[in-house]
Amino acid sequence: MTTAPKHRTDEDPLPWHSRLAKQLKAIDRDAGLAAACRRGRNTEPLDELDMHQPISYVLEGDEETEVSEFVPLWQRDEVTAATHHTLALYACHTQSKSASMHRRGVSLGHAARKLEAKMPSQGGASKRFRAALSADSMTDLTSHLRFLVSLLRTYDVALDYIALADALAAWHHPARRQGLVRIWGMDFRRTPRKTTETNSNSTDSSQE
């Protein structure tokens, strides 16, 4: 009896997402790979030869894997660029860090809000964040992201790099870009949730 193939839904992770997550972990463990990816931060996709292996792993697997098994052929160029820039940004973000700077669920807007709260000068993170949102090309966006990631590293703010890679792969689509800008903007402006400690302190002061 033949089993019908499982159809992916919007809630299912894309096949290349899990493979990218493994390469992020590899950067944490392998200083040589991290250094190679950092060298790619100012280059075009595939210009840094030592990044070919991790990018190939995300897109293709090995020589026995069908070329389109993880990434559809129509999306290959976009995912190649997104993977290159994501690995390069992450390698810069995690440099000299003992803990992973990849944190699922922390969008670019959420991370920028955390950064704004930590920086001594008001508006510093907001200015960089707004510049990133106004970018109409991958080149402009990644240029602004390099500045933001440098600040995130300085102030120990993590970021969801799988979600960022997905956004980079979609950035050249105007409709999807506008959707991302709205979501990131809302995440940046969202009122932070009160912590248990804050609630506890409020309760204690009311009982004095």
Side-chain angles (χ1 to χ4, degrees):
M1 182 171 127
T2 303
T3 302
K6 180 182 177 181
H7 294 287
R8 196 188 71 82
T9 67
D10 291 339
E11 288 75 26
D12 294 330
L14 294 169
W16 62 274
H17 284 180
S18 61
R19 301 182 71 79
L20 176 59
K22 291 180 180 178
Q23 290 304 299
L24 297 178
K25 290 181 179 179
I27 288 174
D28 289 332
R29 299 190 302 265
D30 187 337
L33 175 60
C37 290
R38 283 194 294 273
R39 289 195 299 272
R41 66 187 179 277
N42 292 316
T43 69
E44 292 298 313
L46 301 180
D47 279 358
E48 173 53 53
L49 294 180
D50 289 335
M51 290 186 70
H52 285 193
Q53 189 280 328
I55 293 173
S56 177
Y57 176 87
V58 173
L59 270 72
E60 299 178 353
D62 55 38
E63 60 185 12
E64 297 181 359
T65 305
E66 290 292 333
V67 173
S68 61
E69 181 170 338
F70 304 122
V71 179
L73 292 178
W74 61 267
Q75 199 182 18
R76 185 178 177 85
D77 289 346
E78 290 87 347
V79 174
T80 297
T83 300
H84 169 93
H85 292 301
T86 299
L87 293 177
L89 289 167
Y90 181 71
C92 293
H93 195 166
T94 198
Q95 186 175 13
S96 302
K97 298 294 182 183
S98 58
S100 173
M101 289 289 102
H102 166 52
R103 193 74 43 80
R104 294 307 300 263
V106 181
S107 74
L108 185 64
H110 187 185
R113 174 162 56 82
K114 286 185 172 183
L115 179 62
E116 181 78 0
K118 289 190 172 189
M119 290 182 66
S121 59
Q122 285 192 339
S126 176
K127 180 179 178 180
R128 293 295 184 188
F129 179 63
R130 288 175 180 273
L133 296 192
S134 66
D136 57 5
S137 70
M138 176 75 80
T139 300
D140 287 343
L141 176 60
T142 54
S143 177
H144 293 305
L145 287 177
R146 283 194 292 273
F147 283 106
L148 265 176
V149 164
S150 177
L151 292 171
L152 293 175
R153 176 179 172 274
T154 298
Y155 290 94
D156 287 318
V157 179
L159 176 64
D160 188 335
Y161 274 87
I162 304 301
L164 180 64
D166 218 26
L168 291 174
W171 198 254
H172 72 290
H173 295 286
R176 293 193 65 185
R177 183 168 67 239
Q178 290 172 7
L180 286 164
V181 167
R182 286 194 292 268
I183 292 171
W184 287 345
M186 289 179 65
D187 287 345
F188 182 75
R189 294 301 179 189
R190 184 172 288 118
T191 303
R193 182 174 57 185
K194 292 182 179 180
T195 64
T196 302
E197 181 180 356
T198 300
N199 290 337
S200 176
N201 289 341
S202 298
T203 302
D204 292 342
S205 62
S206 65
Q207 292 175 350
E208 291 178 353

